[in-house]
Coordinates of all heavy atoms in Angstrom, one line a residue:
M1 N 0.8 -1.2 0.0 CA 0.0 0.0 0.0 C 0.9 1.2 0.0 O 0.5 2.2 -0.6 CB -0.9 0.0 1.2 CG -2.2 -0.8 1.0 SD -3.1 -0.3 -0.5 CE -3.2 -1.9 -1.3
L2 N 1.9 1.2 0.8 CA 2.8 2.4 0.8 C 3.4 2.6 -0.6 O 3.5 3.8 -1.1 CB 4.0 2.1 1.8 CG 3.7 2.2 3.3 CD1 4.9 1.9 4.1 CD2 3.1 3.5 3.6
L3 N 3.6 1.5 -1.2 CA 4.2 1.5 -2.6 C 3.2 2.3 -3.5 O 3.6 3.2 -4.3 CB 4.5 0.2 -3.2 CG 5.0 0.1 -4.6 CD1 6.4 0.6 -4.7 CD2 5.1 -1.4 -5.0
L4 N 2.0 1.8 -3.5 CA 1.0 2.5 -4.3 C 0.7 3.9 -4.0 O 0.6 4.7 -4.9 CB -0.4 1.6 -4.2 CG -0.4 0.4 -4.9 CD1 -1.8 -0.4 -4.6 CD2 -0.3 0.6 -6.4
D5 N 0.6 4.2 -2.7 CA 0.4 5.5 -2.3 C 1.5 6.4 -2.7 O 1.2 7.5 -3.2 CB 0.3 5.6 -0.8 CG -0.2 6.9 -0.2 OD1 -1.5 7.1 -0.3 OD2 0.5 7.7 0.2
N6 N 2.7 6.0 -2.5 CA 3.9 6.8 -2.9 C 3.8 7.0 -4.4 O 3.9 8.2 -4.9 CB 5.1 6.1 -2.6 CG 6.4 6.9 -2.6 OD1 7.5 6.4 -2.3 ND2 6.2 8.2 -2.9
A7 N 3.6 6.0 -5.2 CA 3.7 6.0 -6.7 C 2.5 6.9 -7.3 O 2.6 7.5 -8.3 CB 3.6 4.6 -7.3
S8 N 1.5 6.9 -6.6 CA 0.3 7.7 -7.0 C 0.2 9.1 -6.4 O -0.7 9.9 -6.6 CB -1.0 7.0 -6.7 OG -1.2 6.9 -5.3
G9 N 1.4 9.6 -5.8 CA 1.5 11.0 -5.3 C 0.9 11.2 -4.0 O 0.7 12.4 -3.6
G10 N 0.5 10.1 -3.2 CA -0.1 10.3 -1.9 C 0.9 10.7 -0.9 O 2.1 10.7 -1.1
P11 N 0.4 10.8 0.3 CA 1.3 11.3 1.5 C 2.2 10.3 2.0 O 3.2 10.8 2.7 CB 0.3 11.8 2.5 CG -0.9 10.9 2.3 CD -1.0 10.7 0.8
Q12 N 2.0 9.0 1.8 CA 2.9 8.1 2.5 C 4.1 7.9 1.7 O 4.2 8.0 0.4 CB 2.1 6.8 2.7 CG 0.8 7.0 3.5 CD 0.3 5.7 4.1 OE1 1.2 5.0 4.8 NE2 -0.8 5.3 3.8
K13 N 5.2 7.5 2.3 CA 6.5 7.3 1.6 C 6.9 5.9 1.7 O 7.0 5.3 2.7 CB 7.5 8.2 2.2 CG 7.3 9.7 2.0 CD 7.4 10.1 0.6 CE 6.9 11.5 0.2 NZ 5.8 11.5 -0.7
Y14 N 7.1 5.3 0.5 CA 7.7 4.0 0.4 C 9.2 4.1 0.5 O 9.9 4.6 -0.4 CB 7.3 3.2 -0.9 CG 8.0 2.0 -1.2 CD1 7.9 0.9 -0.3 CD2 8.9 1.9 -2.2 CE1 8.5 -0.3 -0.6 CE2 9.5 0.7 -2.5 CZ 9.5 -0.3 -1.6 OH 10.1 -1.5 -1.8
L15 N 9.8 3.6 1.6 CA 11.2 3.9 1.9 C 12.1 2.9 1.2 O 13.3 3.1 0.9 CB 11.5 3.9 3.3 CG 10.7 4.9 4.2 CD1 10.9 4.7 5.6 CD2 11.0 6.3 3.7
G16 N 11.5 1.7 0.9 CA 12.3 0.8 0.1 C 13.5 0.0 1.0 O 14.3 -0.6 0.5
V17 N 13.4 0.2 2.3 CA 14.4 -0.4 3.1 C 13.6 -0.9 4.5 O 12.6 -0.5 4.7 CB 15.5 0.5 3.6 CG1 16.4 0.9 2.4 CG2 14.9 1.7 4.3
K18 N 14.2 -1.9 5.1 CA 13.6 -2.3 6.4 C 14.5 -1.7 7.5 O 15.7 -1.7 7.5 CB 13.7 -3.8 6.5 CG 13.0 -4.4 7.6 CD 12.7 -5.9 7.3 CE 11.4 -6.3 8.0 NZ 10.9 -7.6 7.5
V19 N 13.9 -1.0 8.4 CA 14.6 -0.5 9.6 C 14.3 -1.2 10.8 O 13.3 -1.9 10.9 CB 14.2 1.0 9.8 CG1 14.6 1.9 8.5 CG2 12.7 1.2 9.9
T20 N 15.1 -1.1 11.9 CA 14.9 -1.9 13.0 C 13.8 -1.2 14.0 O 13.2 -1.9 14.8 CB 16.2 -2.1 13.8 OG1 16.8 -0.8 14.0 CG2 17.1 -3.0 13.1
S21 N 13.7 0.1 14.0 CA 12.7 0.7 14.8 C 11.6 1.4 13.8 O 12.0 1.9 12.8 CB 13.2 1.9 15.7 OG 13.9 2.8 14.9
G22 N 10.4 1.2 14.1 CA 9.3 1.7 13.2 C 9.2 0.7 12.1 O 9.9 -0.3 12.0
F23 N 8.2 1.0 11.2 CA 8.0 0.1 10.1 C 8.4 0.7 8.8 O 8.2 1.9 8.5 CB 6.4 -0.2 10.0 CG 6.1 -1.0 8.9 CD1 6.2 -2.5 9.0 CD2 5.7 -0.4 7.7 CE1 5.9 -3.2 7.8 CE2 5.3 -1.3 6.5 CZ 5.5 -2.6 6.6
A24 N 9.1 -0.1 8.0 CA 9.4 0.3 6.7 C 9.4 -0.9 5.8 O 9.8 -2.0 6.3 CB 10.7 1.0 6.6
C25 N 9.0 -0.9 4.5 CA 9.1 -2.1 3.7 C 10.5 -2.3 3.3 O 11.4 -1.5 3.2 CB 8.3 -1.8 2.4 SG 6.6 -1.5 2.7
E26 N 10.8 -3.6 3.1 CA 12.0 -4.1 2.3 C 11.9 -3.7 0.9 O 10.8 -3.3 0.4 CB 12.2 -5.5 2.5 CG 12.4 -6.1 3.9 CD 12.5 -7.6 3.9 OE1 11.5 -8.2 3.4 OE2 13.5 -8.1 4.4
S27 N 12.9 -3.7 0.2 CA 12.8 -3.5 -1.3 C 12.1 -4.7 -1.8 O 12.1 -5.8 -1.2 CB 14.2 -3.5 -1.9 OG 14.8 -4.7 -1.9
M28 N 11.3 -4.5 -2.9 CA 10.6 -5.6 -3.5 C 11.5 -6.7 -3.8 O 11.2 -7.9 -3.7 CB 9.8 -5.0 -4.8 CG 8.7 -4.1 -4.5 SD 7.4 -4.8 -3.5 CE 7.8 -4.2 -2.0
A29 N 12.7 -6.5 -4.3 CA 13.6 -7.5 -4.7 C 14.0 -8.4 -3.5 O 14.0 -9.7 -3.6 CB 14.8 -6.9 -5.4
V30 N 14.3 -7.8 -2.3 CA 14.7 -8.4 -1.1 C 13.6 -9.2 -0.6 O 13.7 -10.3 -0.2 CB 15.3 -7.5 -0.1 CG1 15.4 -8.2 1.3 CG2 16.6 -6.9 -0.6
A31 N 12.4 -8.6 -0.5 CA 11.2 -9.3 0.1 C 10.8 -10.5 -0.7 O 10.3 -11.5 -0.1 CB 10.0 -8.3 0.1
H32 N 11.0 -10.5 -2.0 CA 10.6 -11.7 -2.8 C 11.7 -12.5 -3.3 O 11.5 -13.5 -4.1 CB 9.7 -11.1 -4.0 CG 8.6 -10.4 -3.6 ND1 8.6 -9.0 -3.3 CD2 7.2 -10.7 -3.3 CE1 7.4 -8.6 -2.9 NE2 6.6 -9.6 -2.9
A33 N 12.9 -12.3 -3.0 CA 14.2 -13.0 -3.5 C 14.0 -14.5 -3.4 O 14.4 -15.2 -4.3 CB 15.4 -12.5 -2.9
D34 N 13.5 -15.0 -2.2 CA 13.6 -16.5 -2.0 C 12.2 -17.2 -2.4 O 12.1 -18.3 -2.1 CB 13.9 -16.7 -0.5 CG 15.2 -16.1 -0.1 OD1 16.1 -16.1 -0.9 OD2 15.2 -15.7 1.0
L35 N 11.4 -16.4 -3.0 CA 10.0 -17.0 -3.2 C 9.8 -17.8 -4.5 O 8.9 -18.5 -4.7 CB 9.0 -15.9 -3.1 CG 9.0 -15.2 -1.7 CD1 7.9 -14.1 -1.7 CD2 8.8 -16.1 -0.6
G36 N 10.8 -17.6 -5.5 CA 10.7 -18.4 -6.7 C 9.4 -18.1 -7.5 O 8.8 -18.9 -8.1
I37 N 9.1 -16.8 -7.6 CA 7.9 -16.4 -8.4 C 8.3 -16.2 -9.8 O 9.2 -15.6 -10.1 CB 7.3 -15.0 -7.8 CG1 6.9 -15.2 -6.3 CG2 6.2 -14.4 -8.7 CD1 6.7 -13.9 -5.6
N38 N 7.4 -16.8 -10.7 CA 7.6 -16.7 -12.1 C 6.7 -15.8 -12.7 O 5.7 -15.3 -12.1 CB 7.6 -18.0 -12.8 CG 6.2 -18.8 -12.8 OD1 5.3 -18.1 -12.7 ND2 6.2 -20.1 -12.9
S39 N 6.9 -15.5 -14.0 CA 6.0 -14.6 -14.7 C 4.6 -14.9 -14.7 O 3.7 -13.9 -14.4 CB 6.5 -14.5 -16.2 OG 5.8 -13.5 -16.9
G40 N 4.1 -16.1 -14.9 CA 2.8 -16.5 -15.0 C 2.1 -16.3 -13.6 O 0.9 -15.8 -13.5
T41 N 2.8 -16.5 -12.6 CA 2.3 -16.4 -11.1 C 2.1 -15.0 -10.9 O 1.1 -14.5 -10.3 CB 3.3 -17.0 -10.1 OG1 3.4 -18.5 -10.5 CG2 2.7 -17.0 -8.7
F42 N 3.1 -14.2 -11.3 CA 3.0 -12.6 -11.0 C 1.8 -12.1 -11.8 O 1.0 -11.4 -11.2 CB 4.3 -12.0 -11.5 CG 4.3 -10.5 -11.3 CD1 4.9 -9.9 -10.2 CD2 3.7 -9.7 -12.3 CE1 4.8 -8.6 -10.0 CE2 3.7 -8.3 -12.1 CZ 4.2 -7.7 -11.0
D43 N 1.7 -12.6 -13.1 CA 0.6 -12.0 -13.8 C -0.8 -12.3 -13.3 O -1.8 -11.6 -13.3 CB 0.6 -12.4 -15.3 CG 1.8 -11.8 -16.1 OD1 2.4 -10.9 -15.6 OD2 2.2 -12.5 -17.1
K44 N -0.9 -13.6 -12.8 CA -2.1 -14.1 -12.1 C -2.5 -13.2 -10.9 O -3.6 -12.8 -10.7 CB -2.0 -15.5 -11.8 CG -3.1 -16.2 -11.1 CD -4.3 -16.4 -12.1 CE -5.5 -17.1 -11.4 NZ -6.5 -17.5 -12.4
F45 N -1.4 -12.9 -10.1 CA -1.6 -12.1 -8.9 C -2.2 -10.8 -9.4 O -3.1 -10.3 -8.7 CB -0.2 -12.0 -8.2 CG -0.3 -10.9 -7.1 CD1 -0.8 -11.2 -5.9 CD2 0.2 -9.7 -7.3 CE1 -0.8 -10.2 -4.8 CE2 0.1 -8.7 -6.3 CZ -0.3 -8.9 -5.1
V46 N -1.6 -10.2 -10.3 CA -2.0 -8.8 -10.7 C -3.5 -8.9 -11.3 O -4.4 -8.0 -11.0 CB -1.1 -8.2 -11.9 CG1 -1.7 -6.9 -12.5 CG2 0.3 -8.0 -11.3
S47 N -3.8 -9.9 -12.0 CA -5.2 -10.0 -12.6 C -6.2 -10.3 -11.4 O -7.3 -9.7 -11.4 CB -5.3 -11.1 -13.7 OG -5.3 -12.4 -13.1
I48 N -5.8 -11.0 -10.4 CA -6.7 -11.2 -9.2 C -6.9 -9.9 -8.5 O -8.0 -9.5 -8.1 CB -6.2 -12.4 -8.3 CG1 -6.3 -13.7 -9.0 CG2 -6.9 -12.3 -7.0 CD1 -5.6 -14.8 -8.2
A49 N -5.8 -9.2 -8.3 CA -5.8 -8.0 -7.5 C -6.7 -7.0 -8.3 O -7.6 -6.2 -7.7 CB -4.4 -7.4 -7.5
A50 N -6.6 -6.9 -9.6 CA -7.4 -6.0 -10.4 C -8.9 -6.4 -10.3 O -9.8 -5.6 -10.2 CB -7.0 -6.0 -11.9
G51 N -9.1 -7.7 -10.3 CA -10.6 -8.2 -10.2 C -11.2 -7.8 -8.9 O -12.4 -7.4 -8.8
V52 N -10.3 -7.9 -7.8 CA -10.8 -7.5 -6.5 C -11.1 -6.1 -6.4 O -12.2 -5.7 -5.8 CB -9.8 -8.0 -5.4 CG1 -10.2 -7.4 -4.0 CG2 -9.7 -9.6 -5.3
L53 N -10.2 -5.3 -6.9 CA -10.4 -3.9 -6.8 C -11.6 -3.3 -7.6 O -12.3 -2.3 -7.3 CB -9.1 -3.1 -7.3 CG -7.9 -3.3 -6.2 CD1 -6.7 -2.7 -6.9 CD2 -8.2 -2.7 -5.0
A54 N -11.8 -4.1 -8.8 CA -12.9 -3.7 -9.7 C -14.3 -4.0 -9.0 O -15.3 -3.3 -9.3 CB -12.8 -4.3 -11.0
A55 N -14.3 -5.0 -8.2 CA -15.6 -5.4 -7.6 C -15.9 -4.7 -6.4 O -15.1 -4.0 -5.8 CB -15.5 -7.0 -7.3
K56 N -17.2 -4.8 -6.0 CA -17.6 -4.2 -4.7 C -17.0 -4.9 -3.5 O -16.7 -6.1 -3.6 CB -19.1 -4.4 -4.6 CG -19.9 -3.4 -5.5 CD -21.5 -3.6 -5.3 CE -22.2 -2.7 -6.3 NZ -23.6 -2.8 -6.2
P57 N -16.6 -4.2 -2.4 CA -17.0 -2.9 -2.2 C -16.1 -1.8 -2.8 O -16.4 -0.6 -2.5 CB -17.0 -2.8 -0.7 CG -15.8 -3.7 -0.3 CD -15.9 -4.8 -1.3
F58 N -15.0 -2.2 -3.4 CA -14.0 -1.1 -3.8 C -14.5 -0.4 -5.1 O -14.4 0.8 -5.2 CB -12.7 -1.8 -4.0 CG -12.1 -2.5 -2.8 CD1 -12.2 -4.0 -2.8 CD2 -11.8 -1.9 -1.7 CE1 -11.7 -4.6 -1.7 CE2 -11.4 -2.6 -0.6 CZ -11.3 -3.9 -0.6
S59 N -15.0 -1.1 -6.1 CA -15.5 -0.5 -7.3 C -14.6 0.5 -7.9 O -15.0 1.6 -8.3 CB -16.8 0.2 -7.0 OG -17.8 -0.8 -6.5
V60 N -13.3 0.2 -8.0 CA -12.3 1.1 -8.5 C -12.5 1.2 -10.1 O -12.8 0.2 -10.7 CB -10.9 0.6 -8.3 CG1 -9.8 1.4 -9.1 CG2 -10.6 0.6 -6.8
G61 N -12.6 2.4 -10.5 CA -12.8 2.7 -12.0 C -11.7 2.3 -12.9 O -10.6 2.1 -12.5
A62 N -12.0 2.3 -14.2 CA -11.0 1.8 -15.2 C -9.7 2.7 -15.2 O -8.6 2.0 -15.3 CB -11.7 1.8 -16.5
D63 N -9.9 3.9 -15.2 CA -8.7 4.8 -15.2 C -7.7 4.5 -14.0 O -6.5 4.4 -14.2 CB -9.1 6.3 -15.2 CG -9.6 6.8 -16.4 OD1 -9.6 6.0 -17.4 OD2 -9.9 8.0 -16.5
D64 N -8.4 4.4 -12.8 CA -7.5 4.1 -11.6 C -7.0 2.7 -11.6 O -5.9 2.5 -11.3 CB -8.4 4.4 -10.3 CG -8.6 5.8 -10.1 OD1 -7.9 6.6 -10.6 OD2 -9.6 6.1 -9.3
L65 N -7.7 1.8 -12.2 CA -7.3 0.4 -12.3 C -6.0 0.3 -13.3 O -5.1 -0.3 -13.0 CB -8.3 -0.6 -12.9 CG -9.3 -1.1 -11.9 CD1 -10.3 -2.0 -12.7 CD2 -8.6 -1.8 -10.8
G66 N -6.1 1.2 -14.3 CA -5.0 1.3 -15.1 C -3.7 1.8 -14.5 O -2.6 1.3 -14.6
T67 N -3.8 2.9 -13.6 CA -2.7 3.4 -12.9 C -2.2 2.4 -12.0 O -1.0 2.2 -11.9 CB -3.3 4.7 -12.1 OG1 -3.8 5.5 -13.0 CG2 -2.0 5.3 -11.3
I68 N -3.1 1.7 -11.2 CA -2.6 0.7 -10.2 C -1.9 -0.4 -11.0 O -0.9 -0.9 -10.5 CB -3.8 0.2 -9.4 CG1 -4.4 1.3 -8.5 CG2 -3.4 -1.0 -8.6 CD1 -5.7 1.1 -7.9
G69 N -2.5 -0.8 -12.1 CA -1.9 -1.9 -12.8 C -0.5 -1.6 -13.3 O 0.5 -2.4 -13.3
T70 N -0.3 -0.3 -13.7 CA 1.1 0.1 -14.2 C 2.1 0.1 -13.1 O 3.2 -0.4 -13.2 CB 1.0 1.5 -14.7 OG1 0.0 1.6 -15.9 CG2 2.3 2.1 -15.3
V71 N 1.5 0.5 -11.8 CA 2.5 0.5 -10.7 C 2.9 -0.9 -10.3 O 4.0 -1.2 -10.0 CB 1.8 1.2 -9.4 CG1 2.6 1.0 -8.2 CG2 1.6 2.7 -9.7
L72 N 1.9 -1.8 -10.3 CA 2.2 -3.2 -9.9 C 3.1 -3.9 -11.0 O 4.1 -4.5 -10.5 CB 0.9 -4.0 -9.9 CG -0.1 -3.6 -8.7 CD1 -1.3 -4.5 -8.7 CD2 0.6 -3.7 -7.4
V73 N 2.8 -3.6 -12.2 CA 3.6 -4.3 -13.3 C 5.1 -3.8 -13.2 O 6.0 -4.5 -13.6 CB 2.9 -4.1 -14.6 CG1 3.9 -4.5 -15.7 CG2 1.7 -5.0 -14.7
S74 N 5.2 -2.5 -12.8 CA 6.6 -1.9 -12.7 C 7.5 -2.6 -11.7 O 8.6 -2.5 -11.8 CB 6.5 -0.3 -12.3 OG 6.2 -0.3 -10.9
T75 N 6.9 -3.5 -10.8 CA 7.7 -4.2 -9.8 C 8.0 -5.6 -10.3 O 8.8 -6.3 -9.7 CB 6.9 -4.4 -8.5 OG1 5.8 -5.2 -8.8 CG2 6.4 -3.0 -8.0
K76 N 7.6 -5.9 -11.6 CA 7.7 -7.3 -12.0 C 9.1 -7.8 -12.0 O 9.5 -8.9 -11.6 CB 7.0 -7.5 -13.4 CG 7.0 -8.9 -13.8 CD 6.1 -9.1 -15.0 CE 5.9 -10.5 -15.5 NZ 5.0 -10.7 -16.6
D77 N 10.0 -7.0 -12.6 CA 11.4 -7.3 -12.7 C 12.1 -7.7 -11.4 O 13.0 -8.5 -11.3 CB 12.2 -6.4 -13.5 CG 11.9 -6.4 -15.0 OD1 11.2 -7.3 -15.5 OD2 12.4 -5.4 -15.7
D78 N 11.6 -7.0 -10.4 CA 12.2 -7.1 -9.0 C 11.7 -8.4 -8.3 O 12.3 -9.1 -7.5 CB 11.9 -6.0 -8.1 CG 12.7 -4.8 -8.4 OD1 13.8 -5.0 -9.0 OD2 12.4 -3.7 -8.1
I79 N 10.4 -8.7 -8.6 CA 9.7 -9.8 -8.0 C 9.9 -11.2 -8.6 O 9.9 -12.2 -8.0 CB 8.2 -9.4 -7.8 CG1 8.0 -8.3 -6.8 CG2 7.4 -10.7 -7.4 CD1 6.7 -7.8 -6.7
V80 N 10.0 -11.2 -10.0 CA 10.1 -12.5 -10.7 C 11.5 -12.9 -10.6 O 12.4 -12.3 -11.2 CB 9.6 -12.4 -12.1 CG1 9.9 -13.7 -12.9 CG2 8.1 -12.1 -12.1
T81 N 11.8 -14.1 -10.0 CA 13.1 -14.6 -9.9 C 13.2 -15.9 -10.5 O 14.3 -16.4 -10.9 CB 13.7 -14.7 -8.5 OG1 12.6 -15.5 -7.7 CG2 13.8 -13.4 -7.8
D82 N 12.1 -16.7 -10.8 CA 12.2 -18.0 -11.5 C 11.8 -17.7 -13.0 O 10.7 -17.5 -13.4 CB 11.1 -18.9 -10.9 CG 11.1 -20.3 -11.6 OD1 11.9 -20.4 -12.6 OD2 10.4 -21.1 -11.2
T83 N 12.9 -17.8 -13.9 CA 12.7 -17.6 -15.3 C 12.8 -19.0 -16.1 O 12.9 -19.0 -17.2 CB 13.7 -16.7 -15.8 OG1 15.1 -17.1 -15.5 CG2 13.6 -15.3 -15.3
T84 N 12.7 -20.1 -15.3 CA 12.8 -21.4 -15.9 C 11.4 -21.8 -16.6 O 11.4 -22.6 -17.4 CB 13.2 -22.5 -14.9 OG1 12.2 -22.5 -13.8 CG2 14.5 -22.2 -14.3
T85 N 10.3 -21.1 -16.0 CA 9.1 -21.4 -16.6 C 8.2 -20.2 -16.4 O 8.3 -19.5 -15.5 CB 8.4 -22.7 -15.9 OG1 7.1 -22.8 -16.5 CG2 8.4 -22.5 -14.5
T86 N 7.2 -20.0 -17.4 CA 6.3 -18.9 -17.2 C 4.9 -19.4 -16.7 O 4.0 -18.6 -16.5 CB 6.1 -18.1 -18.5 OG1 5.6 -19.0 -19.5 CG2 7.4 -17.4 -18.9
A87 N 4.8 -20.8 -16.6 CA 3.5 -21.3 -16.2 C 3.2 -21.0 -14.8 O 4.0 -21.1 -13.9 CB 3.5 -22.8 -16.4
E88 N 2.0 -20.5 -14.6 CA 1.6 -20.2 -13.3 C 1.6 -21.4 -12.3 O 1.3 -22.5 -12.7 CB 0.1 -19.7 -13.3 CG -0.7 -19.5 -12.0 CD -2.2 -19.5 -12.3 OE1 -2.6 -19.2 -13.3 OE2 -2.9 -19.8 -11.3
K89 N 2.2 -21.2 -11.2 CA 2.4 -22.3 -10.2 C 1.2 -22.6 -9.4 O 0.4 -21.7 -9.0 CB 3.6 -22.0 -9.3 CG 4.9 -21.9 -10.0 CD 6.1 -21.7 -9.0 CE 7.4 -21.5 -9.7 NZ 8.5 -21.3 -8.8
A90 N 1.0 -23.8 -9.1 CA -0.2 -24.2 -8.3 C 0.1 -23.8 -6.9 O 1.2 -23.7 -6.4 CB -0.3 -25.8 -8.3
C91 N -1.0 -23.5 -6.2 CA -0.9 -23.1 -4.8 C -0.3 -24.2 -3.9 O -0.7 -25.3 -4.0 CB -2.3 -22.7 -4.2 SG -2.3 -22.1 -2.5
T92 N 0.6 -23.9 -3.0 CA 1.3 -24.9 -2.3 C 0.6 -25.0 -0.9 O 1.0 -25.8 0.0 CB 2.8 -24.6 -2.1 OG1 2.9 -23.3 -1.5 CG2 3.4 -24.8 -3.3
A93 N -0.4 -24.2 -0.6 CA -1.1 -24.2 0.7 C -2.7 -24.2 0.4 O -3.4 -23.3 0.7 CB -0.7 -23.0 1.5
P94 N -3.1 -25.4 -0.2 CA -4.5 -25.3 -0.6 C -5.5 -25.1 0.6 O -6.5 -24.4 0.3 CB -4.7 -26.7 -1.2 CG -3.5 -27.6 -0.8 CD -2.4 -26.5 -0.5
A95 N -5.3 -25.5 1.7 CA -6.2 -25.3 2.8 C -6.3 -23.8 3.1 O -7.4 -23.3 3.3 CB -5.7 -26.0 4.1
A96 N -5.2 -23.1 3.1 CA -5.2 -21.7 3.3 C -5.9 -21.0 2.3 O -6.6 -20.1 2.4 CB -3.8 -21.2 3.5
C97 N -5.7 -21.5 1.0 CA -6.4 -20.8 -0.1 C -7.9 -21.0 -0.1 O -8.7 -20.1 -0.2 CB -5.9 -21.4 -1.5 SG -4.2 -20.9 -1.8
A98 N -8.4 -22.2 0.3 CA -9.8 -22.5 0.5 C -10.4 -21.6 1.6 O -11.5 -21.1 1.4 CB -10.0 -24.0 0.7
A99 N -9.7 -21.5 2.7 CA -10.2 -20.6 3.7 C -10.3 -19.2 3.2 O -11.3 -18.6 3.5 CB -9.2 -20.7 4.9
A100 N -9.3 -18.7 2.5 CA -9.4 -17.4 2.0 C -10.6 -17.2 1.0 O -11.2 -16.2 1.1 CB -8.1 -16.9 1.3
A101 N -10.7 -18.2 0.2 CA -11.9 -18.0 -0.8 C -13.1 -18.1 0.0 O -14.1 -17.3 -0.4 CB -11.7 -19.2 -1.8
G102 N -13.2 -18.9 1.0 CA -14.5 -19.0 1.7 C -14.8 -17.7 2.4 O -16.0 -17.4 2.7
A103 N -13.8 -17.0 2.8 CA -13.9 -15.7 3.5 C -14.2 -14.5 2.5 O -14.1 -13.4 3.0 CB -12.7 -15.4 4.3
G104 N -14.4 -14.9 1.3 CA -14.7 -13.8 0.3 C -13.5 -13.4 -0.5 O -13.5 -12.4 -1.2
G105 N -12.4 -14.2 -0.5 CA -11.2 -13.9 -1.3 C -11.5 -14.2 -2.7 O -12.6 -14.7 -3.1
A106 N -10.5 -13.9 -3.6 CA -10.8 -14.1 -5.0 C -10.7 -15.6 -5.5 O -10.9 -15.8 -6.6 CB -9.7 -13.2 -5.8
G107 N -10.3 -16.4 -4.5 CA -10.2 -17.8 -4.8 C -9.1 -18.2 -5.7 O -9.2 -19.2 -6.4
Ligands
LIG201 C1 2.6 -6.4 -7.8 C2 3.2 -7.4 -7.2 C3 3.6 -7.4 -5.8 C4 3.7 -6.4 -4.9 C5 3.6 -4.9 -5.1 C6 4.1 -7.0 -3.6 C7 4.4 -6.3 -2.5 C8 4.9 -6.8 -1.3 C9 5.3 -6.1 -0.2 C10 5.2 -4.6 0.1 C11 5.7 -7.0 0.8 C12 6.3 -6.7 2.2 C13 7.8 -6.5 2.2 C14 8.4 -6.2 3.6 O1 8.6 -7.2 4.2 O2 8.5 -5.1 4.0 C15 5.6 -8.3 0.2 C16 6.0 -9.5 0.8 C17 5.6 -10.8 0.3 N1 5.1 -11.0 -0.9 FE1 4.7 -9.7 -2.3 N2 4.1 -8.4 -3.7 C18 3.8 -8.6 -5.0 C19 3.7 -9.8 -5.6 C20 3.8 -11.0 -4.9 C21 3.5 -12.4 -5.5 C22 3.0 -12.6 -6.9 C23 3.7 -13.2 -4.5 C24 3.5 -14.7 -4.5 C25 2.9 -15.4 -5.4 C26 4.1 -12.5 -3.3 C27 4.4 -13.0 -2.1 C28 4.9 -12.3 -1.1 C29 5.3 -12.9 0.2 C30 5.2 -14.4 0.6 C31 5.7 -12.0 1.1 C32 6.3 -12.1 2.5 C33 7.8 -12.2 2.4 C34 8.5 -12.4 3.8 O3 7.9 -12.0 4.7 O4 9.6 -12.8 3.8 N3 4.1 -11.1 -3.6 N4 5.1 -8.1 -1.1

């Protein structure tokens, strides 16, 4: 959220570092370095995020969705570390996914 707020000119500042006192985000590359995220998984995440934002209760409009999408996609090179395949990876925690879907998640 800080990243989005910062990128869209909001008052919050995305610092890009982790500090020991107070809260600050790690860089996107550091936060996702060990996660083995590939291109297909990243794209799926962005499409789910867009779907959630477009739906109620958020009802984000097309212009704003475009802006948000551009911000999210701008992080792709930092987040995608697995270039061996572009196929979206299956969820490795199906119980947690089912619980999230049951709670109104994008499934
Ligand atoms: C537009 C794409 C994404 C953005 C903007 C984003 C943003 C973030 C941010 C801000 C954090 C917290 C960093 C911190 O510790 O300060 C984070 C952590 C994390 N993200 Fe993402 N993320 C994205 C995509 C993804 C995807 C596609 C996955 C998995 C499929 C993912 C999995 C995770 C996980 C597991 C963590 C926790 C890492 C840890 O605590 O060590 N992220 N992400």
Side-chain angles (χ1 to χ4, degrees):
M1 279 303 126
L2 289 179
L3 176 70
L4 280 177
D5 189 80
N6 196 180
S8 59
Q12 304 201 57
K13 294 292 168 240
Y14 169 64
L15 302 176
V17 293
K18 194 160 207 165
V19 294
T20 50
S21 61
F23 175 83
C25 295
E26 292 179 306
S27 73
M28 289 297 97
V30 169
H32 300 88
D34 301 330
L35 301 178
I37 296 169
N38 68 25
S39 181
T41 304
F42 180 93
D43 292 346
K44 179 74 174 185
F45 170 82
V46 172
S47 76
I48 290 171
V52 169
L53 291 173
K56 288 180 179 177
F58 304 108
S59 305
V60 174
D63 283 0
D64 289 337
L65 276 182
T67 301
I68 291 167
T70 300
V71 171
L72 294 183
V73 170
S74 76
T75 66
K76 186 169 184 175
D77 286 349
D78 284 340
I79 288 174
V80 172
T81 54
D82 180 357
T83 54
T84 60
T85 173
T86 59
E88 175 198 332
K89 292 183 183 177
C91 182
T92 55
C97 290

